């Protein structure tokens, strides 16, 4: 009620393990549904089964961002995610049939991935429409094992950079030069980065 008094029409939960908060989800979803709040969240696909997708949408969810990152087994293992490609497509297409704004993110430049594998991932992303797919630069964060020991994880060098830019890579890997990674990021931008207007009333995405 306090949110409505302040003029807020919707809530976004920015927590990539939102769907895993089992101790608070039942009461939270019930509250959102009872108050007819529109809401969105970020979360992992690992924990979003068909039943939970329906439960979220029934409680007012109209926007969700899913981080897939890669569809190749070695890359999925490196970034500590466990899933099958068939599960990714099935769950995301089910989400898109119920939720008007589904955003899916992938990474370019994961150590070990080749250009042909990334192009394959782009082709796969095309099959997820009407979900809105985006490709970002893989960037190891300071203080993480991959950043502190890059060679052990397939990164040949980390180029000097002042700040993080999701559209530009500053690494070079055992499988790709920095130039190749950034060329693929530009290609992904041309294929997927389109200005969109979201029509929540009609429940669809207008390119």
């Amino acid at each position: 009620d306090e949110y409505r008094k302040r003029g807020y029409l919707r809530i976004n939960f920015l927590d990539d393990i939102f769907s895993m908060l089992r101790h608070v989800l039942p009461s939270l979803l019930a509250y959102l549904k009872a108050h007819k709040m529109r809401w969105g969240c970020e979360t992992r696909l690992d924990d979003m089964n068909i039943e939970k997708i329906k439960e979220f949408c029934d409680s007012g969810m109209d926007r969700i961002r899913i981080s897939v990152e890669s569809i190749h087994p070695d890359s999925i293992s490196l970034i500590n995610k466990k899933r099958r490609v068939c599960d990714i497509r099935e769950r995301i297409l089910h989400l898109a049939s119920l939720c008007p704004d589904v955003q899916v993110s992938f990474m370019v430049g994961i150590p070990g991935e080749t250009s042909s594998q990334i192009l394959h991932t782009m082709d796969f992303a095309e099959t997820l429409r009407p979900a809105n797919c985006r490709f970002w630069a893989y960037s190891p964060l300071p203080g993480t094992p991959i950043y502190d020991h890059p060679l052990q994880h397939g990164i040949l060098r980390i180029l000097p950079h002042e700040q993080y830019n999701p559209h530009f890579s500053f690494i070079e890997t055992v499988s790709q030069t920095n130039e190749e990674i950034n060329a693929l990021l530009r290609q992904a931008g041309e294929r997927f980065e389109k200005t969109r207007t979201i029509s929540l009333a009609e429940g669809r995405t207008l390119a």
Side-chain angles (χ1 to χ4, degrees):
D1 293 342
E2 186 63 30
Y3 286 109
R4 293 188 184 278
K5 291 178 183 178
R6 294 174 179 268
Y8 295 108
L9 301 178
R10 66 187 326 279
I11 299 174
N12 282 315
F13 297 97
L14 303 180
D15 186 338
D16 62 3
I17 60 168
F18 176 78
S19 62
M20 303 174 73
L21 304 177
R22 294 177 177 84
H23 60 295
V24 298
L25 273 179
S27 58
L28 176 59
L29 295 180
Y31 178 89
L32 293 168
K33 184 175 183 177
H35 290 78
K36 298 180 179 180
M37 295 291 296
R38 311 308 292 175
W39 61 277
C41 69
E42 295 182 4
T43 195
R44 293 169 62 107
L45 194 61
D46 311 51
D47 199 54
M48 289 296 289
N49 56 36
I50 300 300
E51 292 75 19
K52 186 169 289 186
I53 290 171
K54 186 177 186 303
E55 185 180 13
F56 276 31
C57 292
D58 286 347
S59 67
M61 184 183 74
D62 59 19
R63 179 181 302 167
I64 186 170
R65 180 180 175 187
I66 298 289
S67 298
V68 172
E69 320 306 16
S70 176
I71 61 172
H72 299 286
D74 290 342
S75 301
I76 292 173
S77 176
L78 179 67
I79 57 180
N80 296 319
K81 295 193 176 183
K82 299 178 181 179
R83 65 175 71 95
R84 297 181 301 169
V85 172
C86 59
D87 291 338
I88 294 173
R89 182 184 286 111
E90 178 187 11
R91 295 185 194 188
I92 289 177
L93 291 179
H94 189 69
L95 262 172
S97 72
L98 298 174
C99 182
D101 188 5
V102 178
Q103 303 175 18
V104 185
S105 66
F106 295 89
M107 287 182 175
V108 176
I110 296 176
E113 280 201 346
T114 64
S115 295
S116 61
Q117 287 178 316
I118 294 172
L119 290 172
H120 178 226
T121 299
M122 291 185 198
D123 292 339
F124 172 80
E126 294 277 9
T127 72
L128 301 180
R129 297 185 187 278
N132 175 37
C133 297
R134 292 288 185 266
F135 284 74
W136 314 105
Y138 175 78
S139 302
L141 299 176
T144 62
I146 295 178
Y147 188 93
D148 293 338
H149 308 283
L151 287 176
Q152 295 180 16
H153 298 278
I155 297 177
L156 296 181
R157 60 176 178 152
I158 299 177
L159 304 175
H161 58 283
E162 294 183 358
Q163 59 185 11
Y164 168 71
N165 182 345
H167 302 287
F168 181 80
S169 174
F170 53 80
I171 67 172
E172 187 166 284
T173 72
V174 293
S175 52
Q176 291 182 297
T177 66
N178 180 257
E179 291 76 12
E180 289 172 333
I181 295 172
N182 282 307
L184 285 165
L185 282 167
R186 289 191 294 271
Q187 184 172 341
E190 293 170 0
R191 289 180 67 171
F192 297 97
E193 293 286 343
K194 297 178 180 179
T195 302
R196 305 176 309 130
T197 300
I198 303 297
S199 175
L200 297 180
E202 295 180 0
R204 61 191 178 93
T205 300
L206 304 177

